[in-house]
Amino acid sequence: MTDTDAPALDGEGVDQAGLDREALLRRLRGWYRTDREASAKWREDAREDFDFVAGRQWSTEDEAVLRQQGRPPVTFNRILPVIKAVAGSEVNSRQDIQYLPREIGDAAKNELLTEASRYLADEAEAEDEESDAFVDCAICGMGWVEMRLDYETNPDGAYVEDRVNALEMNWDAAARKRNLADARRLFRAKTMDRAEAEALFPEVDPALLDAAWAEDRDGDGEHHEIQPGERRIDRPGQDADASSSRVTIVECQWWERARVAVAIDPTSGEPQEMDPKQAAVLARRAEMLGMPLKVFHRMKRVYRRAFLGAVVLEDGPAPAGDQFSYACLTGDRDHNKGTWFGIVRPMRDPQRFANKWLSQTLDMLNRQSKGGWIMEKGAVPDQRAFEASIAKPGAVSWVSDGALMSARMKEKPLPVLPSGHWQLMEFAIGSIRDTSGVNLELLGQKQNDQAGVLEYQRKQAAMTILATLFDSLRRARKHIGRVRLFFIQTYLSDGRLIRIVGDEGAKVVPLMRDRTMGDFDVVIDDAPASPNQQQIVWQTFTSVLPIIKDMITPQVLLEILPYSPFPASFVAKMRDLLAQSADTPEQEQQKQIAVQTAVARIQDMTAGANLKNAKAGREQALTHQDHASAAVQLAQLLTAPEAAAQTAEAAA
């Protein structure tokens, strides 16, 4: 499908030619079949990857052969600890989304947006959902996160992030960049109860809700479209009698190129986008008035979304503006097939061989003799007595005369495994870790006594091998941050109250449109709440604390407390106390100026009184009223230095 096949759109993303929904359905179904067939083999491999992590590591054929031969299908799952070690490393080093302004005037807004983003992420448990998607990426090579607004739990719209099953997603078969940055379309085929689908689309005929043409087919072979009258096949494990109670809904998001006109306002010089036809009319009118209008054209991406069943259930603009509302994480690239894979795929063969070696070892031990004797019938006088006494420690077993000399008795040899058997098994077990890049130090299973510095360096070496996975997560979080910013500026800046934690402690502020609008860059930084970041910062701070203890100010403590290992409630109370007692440099300077002004004023008053006393010959230099005035100024100085300074300046 080329760009010329796309329908012409106006600036609002609406079809100029009135493209009917039947043509749109045919077009989207054609895209879906192409993308589905391109990723069919990946789905088969992804299911096997998830099976290996869950401990289902024997194929159906191999397990049937083993049970037929009476051999045990032994499984020691060594892949799961590797995945848990990688997932734990991500949890311990979580990152934070921050917004940096592009204009000087927006410098005060970025702090509000950053804190609002943290609050929304905390309410939506976004970190946990992103971690689940990261685990999917490590296993099968792809992880997905959906960002949306939920109006069921909150009528004003609640921000939600959900980890999406990677097997539900289909993507542009021509996309090759990491995290599918160059994808033109995304599909999600979700199977749900019919009652739930009817509640989502109440105005659609229930008989048209099921997208049977988008069935999963277990990912085997090419996509097969169900013909009229053919029975629908549901997901594995589903009761066939209940197939009519579940339907499949396909969501499609894609972008198309639209031609827009940009007119330069002759009064302000600002460019304005509009429909090309409207721009042509304005240009003719401006020319008639003797004011030529500068107009040029450019191409613009227009993002759209549609829900598909047997028909187009709903279509309209995309929910996240000029971007997809789904964030994708990708693992390592399979260049020839155009798909992605995680760290489980290279571990599958070593895990298979380790299981087979262990199963074969147990079978060899079971089949070989466990000791005993080989003897002639006349070698012992009483066979039952010999059998009863031979296994008893300290018992005497009697044999016939000459039986031992004539070798009429022979002990059965003990089982001996083939040479190199254990080495091969250890090689297979060690290859599971070697192929993944996760060493014993990262797993926490190194038994040798070694220096902590050396162990830390080896952990860092393992993290270097896995750096591409964490880079994909970092790039996905940038996309999540842009979508979250769009939701905040477009839908959530309606005056709702947001709890944020700043230098002055926790407080509640309203999200207003004039306080959130602007252009911002999304920056990913280490989160203060991540255990690794807390440990590194706090250890460094405590090591230099004896040297800089005299330079510690309340402002420094306000910045350090989020990295401390103290409970969150204790940190919040400490921040409140420090914020109440802390004085800014400006306040300190104002206080010093007020003190100097008040002292100078008191000195002037004293000198004036002494001069009057000398001229009039009175004995008292100051009256009680003068003393009272000085005392009031001193009290103001201690309680409100700014007011005292203003009073002193006015009096001077």
Side-chain angles (χ1 to χ4, degrees), residues 365-433:
L365 294 175
N366 290 334
R367 292 180 181 275
Q368 291 184 3
S369 63
K370 305 301 185 295
W373 292 85
I374 302 174
M375 59 186 357
E376 297 179 1
K377 292 183 179 180
V380 296
D382 189 345
Q383 296 179 2
R384 291 186 178 180
F386 180 83
E387 292 175 359
S389 62
I390 192 64
K392 293 182 180 180
V396 179
S397 301
W398 297 97
V399 299
S400 301
D401 295 339
L404 298 178
M405 297 295 295
S406 60
R408 298 170 64 188
M409 300 176 58
K410 184 179 180 181
E411 188 176 1
K412 290 183 178 180
L414 294 176
V416 178
L417 295 177
S419 176
H421 179 83
W422 294 110
Q423 289 82 352
L424 289 174
M425 183 181 298
E426 291 178 358
F427 174 76
I429 294 174
S431 297
I432 298 176
R433 300 187 302 269

Side-chain angles (χ1 to χ4, degrees), residues 364-588:
M364 293 169 61
L365 294 175
N366 290 334
R367 292 180 181 275
Q368 291 184 3
S369 63
K370 305 301 185 295
W373 292 85
I374 302 174
M375 59 186 357
E376 297 179 1
K377 292 183 179 180
V380 296
D382 189 345
Q383 296 179 2
R384 291 186 178 180
F386 180 83
E387 292 175 359
S389 62
I390 192 64
K392 293 182 180 180
V396 179
S397 301
W398 297 97
V399 299
S400 301
D401 295 339
L404 298 178
M405 297 295 295
S406 60
R408 298 170 64 188
M409 300 176 58
K410 184 179 180 181
E411 188 176 1
K412 290 183 178 180
L414 294 176
V416 178
L417 295 177
S419 176
H421 179 83
W422 294 110
Q423 289 82 352
L424 289 174
M425 183 181 298
E426 291 178 358
F427 174 76
I429 294 174
S431 297
I432 298 176
R433 300 187 302 269
D434 295 341
T435 54
S436 66
V438 178
N439 52 27
L440 290 175
E441 283 78 10
L442 192 59
L443 289 172
Q445 298 177 358
K446 189 68 174 178
Q447 302 296 330
N448 298 338
D449 294 334
Q450 59 185 10
V453 176
L454 177 60
E455 185 169 355
Y456 175 77
Q457 290 177 349
R458 290 181 175 176
K459 286 183 178 180
Q460 291 300 109
M463 295 300 296
T464 302
I465 297 177
L466 301 173
T468 54
L469 280 178
F470 290 89
D471 185 64
S472 294
L473 178 61
R474 186 183 186 91
R475 187 168 183 173
R477 281 198 168 118
K478 286 186 178 181
H479 180 80
I480 293 173
R482 288 189 287 267
V483 174
R484 194 181 298 171
L485 177 64
F486 174 81
F487 284 154
I488 292 175
Q489 294 181 333
T490 307
Y491 302 108
L492 303 181
S493 296
D494 52 5
R496 68 182 67 195
L497 300 179
I498 297 295
R499 177 180 56 83
I500 64 175
V501 179
D503 293 341
E504 301 178 359
K507 59 182 179 180
V508 179
V509 298
L511 274 183
M512 303 300 293
R513 192 170 300 275
D514 58 344
R515 300 180 62 185
T516 59
M517 298 306 293
D519 294 331
F520 298 86
D521 293 325
V522 180
V523 177
I524 306 299
D525 193 9
D526 291 331
S530 62
N532 282 358
Q533 190 71 6
Q534 281 185 334
Q535 181 181 3
I536 294 173
V537 174
W538 190 252
Q539 286 181 352
T540 305
F541 177 73
T542 53
S543 63
V544 300
L545 182 59
I547 303 175
I548 64 172
K549 62 180 180 179
D550 296 334
M551 296 182 290
I552 299 298
T553 62
Q555 289 75 20
V556 175
L557 291 178
L558 285 174
E559 297 296 330
I560 291 297
L561 277 176
Y563 296 92
S564 67
F566 301 133
S569 58
F570 176 79
V571 173
K573 292 180 181 179
M574 288 294 296
R575 291 173 70 94
D576 293 339
L577 294 175
L578 291 173
Q580 294 175 4
S581 61
D583 287 334
T584 62
E586 292 79 5
Q587 292 175 340
E588 291 288 346

Side-chain angles (χ1 to χ4, degrees), residues 267-433:
T267 58
S268 63
E270 295 292 332
Q272 295 182 358
E273 292 186 357
M274 61 186 66
D275 180 74
K277 294 182 178 179
Q278 182 182 1
V281 174
L282 291 178
R284 287 196 300 268
R285 293 180 179 178
E287 187 176 358
M288 293 174 60
L289 296 175
M291 299 175 59
L293 184 65
K294 295 182 179 180
V295 179
F296 63 92
H297 296 80
R298 71 178 185 90
M299 301 302 294
K300 177 183 178 181
R301 288 186 180 183
V302 179
Y303 284 75
R304 301 183 62 188
R305 178 176 70 171
F307 291 94
L308 311 177
V311 296
V312 177
L313 306 177
E314 180 183 314
D315 68 323
D322 295 338
Q323 54 208 334
F324 295 122
S325 62
Y326 289 90
C328 177
L329 291 77
T330 55
D332 295 312
R333 181 186 290 107
D334 188 339
H335 183 272
N336 293 337
K337 295 184 178 180
T339 56
W340 310 85
F341 62 92
I343 63 175
V344 173
R345 186 173 301 181
M347 289 192 292
R348 290 192 317 206
D349 284 343
Q351 179 69 70
R352 283 195 188 101
F353 280 112
N355 292 338
K356 290 182 178 180
W357 280 114
L358 183 58
S359 178
Q360 186 176 6
T361 301
L362 292 177
D363 181 64
M364 293 169 61
L365 294 175
N366 290 334
R367 292 180 181 275
Q368 291 184 3
S369 63
K370 305 301 185 295
W373 292 85
I374 302 174
M375 59 186 357
E376 297 179 1
K377 292 183 179 180
V380 296
D382 189 345
Q383 296 179 2
R384 291 186 178 180
F386 180 83
E387 292 175 359
S389 62
I390 192 64
K392 293 182 180 180
V396 179
S397 301
W398 297 97
V399 299
S400 301
D401 295 339
L404 298 178
M405 297 295 295
S406 60
R408 298 170 64 188
M409 300 176 58
K410 184 179 180 181
E411 188 176 1
K412 290 183 178 180
L414 294 176
V416 178
L417 295 177
S419 176
H421 179 83
W422 294 110
Q423 289 82 352
L424 289 174
M425 183 181 298
E426 291 178 358
F427 174 76
I429 294 174
S431 297
I432 298 176
R433 300 187 302 269

